[in-house]
């Protein structure tokens, strides 16, 4: 409790010396409220020092009481610019930027703003994404002589970058008279604000070349800069660039943060480069990074997506204080590896620990049922989510249920589920119905689904490809030609099949019929050997998988033999030591013939082959696959 000076002594003391120790030293909320009450009771509130100090105390981040701050502001009879700046900053920092901008509008009728007011209100515009208001304030700053102020310029660069006006941001940035002054002023706050704002703006707009160019122009890089570059590349799918940037960061002596590691682990997952992932895991262990939070989740996801579910389980078991995110990551991982029973057992184990499942973990559970064809279980868990845990299904949950039904061939039920959903289906759900129709040869339902996709998202290239493949599989070549003509007129192009293998830290990529690899001669020699060995065990190519208008059976067989995953397998057999799994990542769904061939090759060569296609993982070993021929 504060020991307050009696009113008569304060009154006597006040006119001669404004250095009131009580007002200057107090910091706890209770103390400030006592002083506030005392100032009202003793009629000293309107003294400029007292009112200003109370406003500053209530606006201080340690107390941060916006309601009391505003009540103080409204009671001040003669407001100075300092009062206005304090309350506007309080509103912006408390995420009430709109109210801060409204107050700024009132302020300009009494005072000209200064280089404290302007950056604060520009920051509010950035948070709200209101670029037109930001431009008006920029114009005012130029008019009243603050256009060249480094703090105003820095806030403008940040605002324009966040609002997507990257050209305006660069114009302000280039107009900074002395970027070294801006640099070192920014370093006081721990990061290079203007430089990082520009890089962030370029990253968000997809202009990675300009971001990289500016990155190399910087006289020094801070952790924020590295994180912006790595996260930007990762979010844009430029996973290799993200990984390269991370190792460059380490080489130059910067220590990554949790955010850095989360981004680079996600990039490693996208590339499925297990060697890099293991190195980063080792780095984390040596440098004392705890796995109890999101880093543990990211590490589990990385191992699962790189095809090493055993390591994912090892990381999961090593986490002492498991959170729902950790359980979700391992359940999803087990699901995409076809280990549905293990995934569902872990879900029940989690529930027994007292952790309450959330909406996200049910997506993982439903996906596990999907990959194993557990239709009844899928229905049961969907009902459990709604009835037992009172979780309202989202589009993602309905998407999982529809996909479960479609993969199992329950297309009418899937169609009825979509039509009776309480929310509008998106293109993903309609694509599931189209994919199921293509796999099960239901032309009428497939055409219905394709029409819905085109209505919702006409730019979806996969829709036209699935529709064309569905017609081709049924020998309806006129309709195939019609669909392909539509694609040509709309500028759509099918992505070629691409498979990649990591070997000694390098990612080797192959497309259909690829002859660009340095080991092309050896690869095709190995493929000829594979062909002969397959014939010896009685393999007959499934030419129904050729979805091109080719008449001769030999030509169709040749088409199948050049699929990208077969080139990747041949490379793996040549280069990957026996006893080490050959890990392949493919951008498209594995066709039936390649699936059969890979099963046979795993037995012929006594090799484990792990293939990640765009649906799931396939673990081929001793002539069988973990998917049990269900994918």
């Amino acid at each position: 409790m504060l020991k307050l000076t009696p009113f008569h002594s304060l009154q006597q003391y006040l006119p001669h010396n404004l250095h009131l120790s009580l007002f200057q030293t107090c910091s706890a909320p209770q103390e400030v409220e006592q002083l506030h009450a005392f100032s009202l009771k003793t009629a000293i509130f309107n003294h400029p020092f007292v009112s200003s100090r109370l406003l500053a105390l209530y606006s201080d981040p340690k107390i941060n009481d916006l309601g009391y701050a505003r009540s103080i502001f409204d009671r001040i009879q003669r407001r100075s610019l300092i009062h206005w700046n304090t309350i506007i900053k309080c509103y912006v920092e408390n995420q009430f930027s709109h109210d801060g901008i409204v107050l700024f509008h009132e302020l300009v009728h009494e005072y000209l703003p200064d280089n404290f007011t302007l950056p604060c209100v520009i920051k509010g515009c950035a948070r709200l994404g209101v670029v037109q208001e930001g431009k008006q304030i920029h114009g005012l700053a130029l008019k009243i002589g603050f256009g060249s102020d480094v703090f105003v310029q820095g806030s403008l660069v940040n605002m324009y970058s966040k609002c997507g006006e990257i050209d305006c941001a660069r114009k302000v940035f280039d107009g900074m008279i002395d970027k070294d002054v801006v640099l070192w002023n920014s370093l006081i706050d721990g990061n290079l604000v203007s430089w990082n704002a520009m890089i962030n703006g370029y990253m968000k707009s997809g202009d990675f070349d300009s971001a990289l160019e500016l990155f190399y122009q910087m006289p020094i890089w801070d952790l924020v800069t590295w994180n912006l570059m790595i996260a930007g590349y990762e979010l844009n799918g430029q996973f290799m660039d993200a990984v390269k940037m991370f190792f460059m960061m380490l080489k130059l002596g910067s220590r990554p943060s949790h955010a850095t590691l989360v981004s680079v682990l996600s990039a490693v997952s996208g590339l499925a480069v297990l060697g890099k992932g293991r190195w980063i895991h080792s780095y984390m262990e040596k440098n004392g990074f705890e796995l109890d939070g999101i880093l543990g989740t990211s590490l589990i996801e990385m191992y699962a997506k790189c095809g090493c579910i055993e390591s994912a389980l090892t990381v999961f078991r090593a986490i002492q204080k498991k959170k729902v995110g950790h359980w979700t990551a391992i359940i999803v991982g087990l699901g995409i590896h076809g280990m549905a029973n293990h995934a569902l057992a872990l879900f029940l184990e989690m529930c027994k620990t007292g952790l309450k499942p959330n909406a996200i973990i049910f997506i993982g559970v439903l996906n596990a049922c999907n990959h194993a064809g557990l239709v009844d279980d899928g229905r049961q868990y969907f009902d459990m989510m709604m009835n037992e845990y009172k979780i309202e299904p989202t589009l993602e949950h309905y998407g999982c249920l529809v996909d479960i039904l479609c993969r199992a061939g329950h297309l009418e039920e899937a169609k009825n589920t979509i039509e009776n959903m309480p929310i509008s289906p998106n293109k993903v759900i309609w694509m599931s119905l189209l994919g199921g129709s293509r796999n099960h040869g239901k032309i009428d339902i497939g055409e219905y689904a394709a029409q819905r996709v085109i209505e919702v998202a006409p730019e979806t290239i996969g829709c036209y490809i699935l529709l064309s493949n569905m017609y081709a599989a049924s020998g309806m070549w006129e309709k195939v030609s019609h669909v392909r003509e539509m694609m040509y007129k709309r500028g759509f192009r099918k992505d070629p099949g691409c498979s990649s293998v990591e070997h000694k830290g390098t990612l080797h990529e192959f497309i259909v019929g690829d002859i660009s690899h340095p080991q092309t001669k050896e690869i095709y020699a190995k493929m000829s050997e594979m062909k002969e060995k397959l014939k010896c065990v009685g393999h007959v190519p499934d030419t129904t998988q050729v979805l091109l208008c080719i008449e001769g059976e030999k030509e169709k067989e040749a088409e199948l033999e050049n699929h990208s995953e077969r080139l990747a397998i041949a490379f793996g057999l040549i280069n990957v030591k026996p006893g080490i799994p050959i890990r392949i990542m493919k951008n498209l769904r594995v066709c039936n013939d390649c699936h059969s061939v890979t099963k046979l090759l795993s037995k012929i060569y006594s090799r484990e082959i792990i293939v990640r296609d765009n649906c799931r993982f396939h673990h081929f070993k001793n002539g069988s696959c973990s998917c049990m021929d269900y994918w």
Side-chain angles (χ1 to χ4, degrees):
M1 297 288 287
L2 283 170
K3 186 176 180 182
L4 295 174
T5 306
F7 170 61
H8 61 85
S9 62
L10 186 62
Q11 280 285 78
Q12 184 180 9
Y13 181 69
L14 186 61
H16 304 291
N17 192 342
L18 296 180
H19 185 79
L20 303 177
S21 60
L22 289 176
F23 281 87
Q24 288 185 328
T25 59
C26 78
S27 58
Q30 189 178 7
E31 294 175 351
V32 177
E33 289 173 8
Q34 284 182 303
L35 285 173
H36 186 186
F38 180 75
S39 70
L40 294 172
K41 184 177 179 181
T42 56
I44 62 169
F45 173 83
N46 284 319
H47 191 284
F49 174 84
V50 175
S51 57
S52 296
R53 183 61 183 153
L54 284 170
L55 179 59
L57 286 168
Y58 279 126
S59 301
D60 189 282
K62 294 177 183 177
I63 299 174
N64 210 29
D65 193 321
L66 182 57
Y68 270 122
R70 183 57 192 262
S71 70
I72 294 287
F73 178 79
D74 290 340
R75 283 175 173 269
I76 297 173
Q77 294 177 356
R78 295 182 180 179
R79 298 169 185 150
S80 68
L81 183 57
I82 294 173
H83 294 131
W84 284 97
N85 286 346
T86 303
I87 192 66
I88 289 171
K89 181 182 179 183
C90 193
Y91 270 113
V92 172
E93 294 302 324
N94 280 279
Q95 309 299 323
F96 289 95
S97 297
H98 179 268
D99 298 283
I101 294 170
V102 170
L103 275 175
F104 176 78
H105 179 72
E106 295 178 20
L107 157 70
V108 295
H109 293 291
E110 294 188 28
Y111 295 99
L112 285 177
D114 61 10
N115 62 348
F116 182 93
T117 328
L118 291 166
C120 185
V121 76
I122 291 168
K123 182 179 182 180
C125 292
R127 286 185 170 176
L128 293 173
V130 287
V131 71
Q132 293 305 318
E133 286 78 357
K135 286 182 176 180
Q136 291 175 25
I137 296 167
H138 185 185
L140 177 62
L142 293 169
K143 185 177 180 181
I144 62 178
F146 286 107
S148 299
D149 181 88
V150 292
F151 297 104
V152 173
Q153 287 177 319
S155 60
L156 284 168
V157 169
N158 181 57
M159 184 271 294
Y160 282 129
S161 296
K162 287 187 175 179
C163 292
E165 296 275 349
I166 197 66
D167 291 336
C168 293
R170 187 59 192 255
K171 188 175 181 180
V172 175
F173 183 80
D174 289 340
M176 291 180 170
I177 297 170
D178 190 345
K179 289 185 177 65
D180 288 336
V181 173
V182 179
L183 169 69
W184 294 111
N185 283 339
S186 298
L187 273 173
I188 294 169
D189 292 328
N191 65 76
L192 317 175
V193 179
S194 301
W195 296 83
N196 288 336
M198 278 305 308
I199 287 173
N200 190 34
Y202 279 131
M203 284 290 190
K204 285 185 174 179
S205 66
D207 189 353
F208 289 87
D209 291 337
S210 296
L212 195 60
E213 180 186 348
L214 193 63
F215 173 79
Y216 286 121
Q217 289 175 14
M218 292 177 70
I220 190 172
W221 298 305
D222 69 350
L223 182 58
V224 175
T225 316
W226 289 110
N227 285 347
L228 283 172
M229 295 297 294
I230 293 167
Y233 279 132
E234 184 270 321
L235 290 170
N236 195 54
Q238 294 178 242
F239 302 129
M240 186 57 76
D241 291 312
V243 173
K244 287 179 180 177
M245 189 66 66
F246 173 76
F247 283 100
M248 177 182 170
M249 171 189 184
L250 295 183
K251 188 176 181 180
L252 293 174
S254 293
R255 178 183 167 87
S257 66
H258 280 62
T260 322
L261 291 165
V262 167
S263 292
V264 76
L265 285 170
S266 180
V268 168
S269 300
L271 290 170
V273 283
L274 181 61
K276 292 282 194 297
R278 288 197 190 283
W279 191 97
I280 293 167
H281 184 190
S282 176
Y283 174 89
M284 290 162 61
E285 288 181 331
K286 289 176 183 176
N287 289 273
F289 285 94
E290 297 291 333
L291 301 182
D292 289 349
I294 192 171
L295 272 183
T297 302
S298 298
L299 204 56
I300 293 167
E301 289 177 348
M302 182 276 292
Y303 277 123
K305 289 180 179 179
C306 287
C308 194
I309 194 65
E310 298 83 4
S311 295
L313 282 163
T314 300
V315 171
F316 172 76
R317 293 187 186 111
I319 297 172
Q320 297 298 315
K321 298 178 180 179
K322 296 180 180 67
K323 299 181 175 65
V324 174
H326 301 128
W327 291 94
T328 302
I330 195 63
I331 287 169
V332 170
L334 290 165
I336 62 174
H337 282 268
M339 302 169 70
N341 291 332
H342 195 165
L344 298 179
L346 277 181
F347 173 74
L348 296 176
E349 183 183 329
M350 186 203 78
C351 294
K352 289 177 182 177
T353 66
L355 283 174
K356 186 178 179 181
N358 58 21
I360 297 172
I361 200 167
F362 271 106
I363 294 174
V365 169
L366 291 170
N367 272 323
C369 295
N370 187 14
H371 290 300
L374 303 176
V375 179
D376 291 337
D377 292 87
R379 294 191 188 104
Q380 176 188 332
Y381 282 109
F382 191 87
D383 291 339
M384 177 195 291
M385 178 185 71
M386 289 193 299
N387 301 324
E388 189 173 333
Y389 291 101
K390 309 300 179 187
I391 296 172
E392 196 69 29
T394 64
L395 268 176
E396 287 78 9
H397 296 111
Y398 278 109
C400 291
L401 179 61
V402 167
D403 209 37
I404 289 171
L405 297 170
C406 289
R407 286 179 188 270
H410 302 285
L411 298 174
E412 286 293 346
E413 184 182 349
K415 181 171 176 284
N416 291 334
T417 299
I418 296 171
E419 291 172 340
N420 291 296
M421 282 167 48
I423 44 182
S424 298
N426 59 7
K427 70 174 184 180
V428 176
I429 290 177
W430 288 119
M431 283 291 287
S432 290
L433 186 60
L434 175 55
S437 302
R438 181 259 182 271
N439 292 336
H440 294 280
K442 298 289 185 180
I443 304 294
D444 54 338
I445 297 179
E447 290 177 332
Y448 169 80
Q451 186 59 43
R452 301 289 84 76
V453 176
I454 292 169
E455 289 173 2
V456 174
E459 75 289 348
T460 307
I461 298 174
C463 170
Y464 301 92
I465 293 169
L466 273 177
L467 189 60
S468 173
N469 289 348
M470 181 176 70
Y471 288 142
S474 300
M476 303 169 70
W477 297 108
E478 286 187 12
K479 290 196 173 185
V480 171
S481 298
H482 175 67
V483 173
R484 289 180 179 170
E485 187 179 345
M486 285 173 60
M487 291 178 66
Y488 177 77
K489 288 180 179 178
R490 299 184 186 191
F492 297 155
R493 182 176 293 179
K494 178 183 177 181
D495 290 331
C498 178
S499 297
S500 59
V501 183
E502 181 197 11
H503 179 58
K504 293 185 177 180
T506 302
L507 202 65
H508 300 263
E509 293 185 324
F510 303 91
I511 59 172
V512 176
D514 203 333
I515 56 171
S516 63
H517 195 275
Q519 289 182 278
T520 293
K521 187 176 179 180
E522 297 95 318
I523 289 169
Y524 277 91
K526 177 61 73 172
M527 288 177 67
S528 295
E529 176 189 296
M530 288 158 49
K531 180 180 177 181
E532 291 304 315
K533 287 181 179 291
L534 287 167
K535 279 184 180 178
C536 289
V537 296
H539 172 67
V540 177
D542 180 5
T543 55
T544 62
Q545 298 299 299
V546 178
L547 302 175
L548 299 172
C549 191
I550 299 174
E551 292 185 2
E553 285 297 305
K554 287 187 177 180
E555 287 79 5
K556 289 181 180 180
E557 289 178 15
E559 175 69 23
L560 289 171
E561 289 165 6
N562 288 327
H563 278 190
S564 63
E565 58 265 56
R566 302 201 194 186
L567 292 163
I569 291 170
F571 172 85
L573 290 172
I574 294 167
N575 294 283
V576 180
K577 293 180 180 179
I580 299 174
I582 298 170
R583 301 177 189 276
I584 298 169
M585 185 173 72
K586 181 175 170 64
N587 64 334
L588 303 176
R589 183 179 184 272
V590 174
C591 77
N592 290 350
D593 189 64
C594 285
H595 192 269
S596 299
V597 163
T598 310
K599 285 196 296 183
L600 291 170
L601 291 173
S602 71
K603 187 173 184 179
I604 292 168
Y605 288 96
S606 299
R607 299 296 297 266
E608 182 179 2
I609 303 170
I610 300 172
V611 179
R612 175 180 133 185
D613 68 6
N614 66 350
C615 297
R616 58 170 298 147
F617 275 92
H618 302 263
H619 293 252
F620 298 95
K621 195 172 183 179
N622 296 325
S624 63
C625 179
S626 59
C627 74
M628 304 299 290
D629 298 339
Y630 184 88
W631 81 104

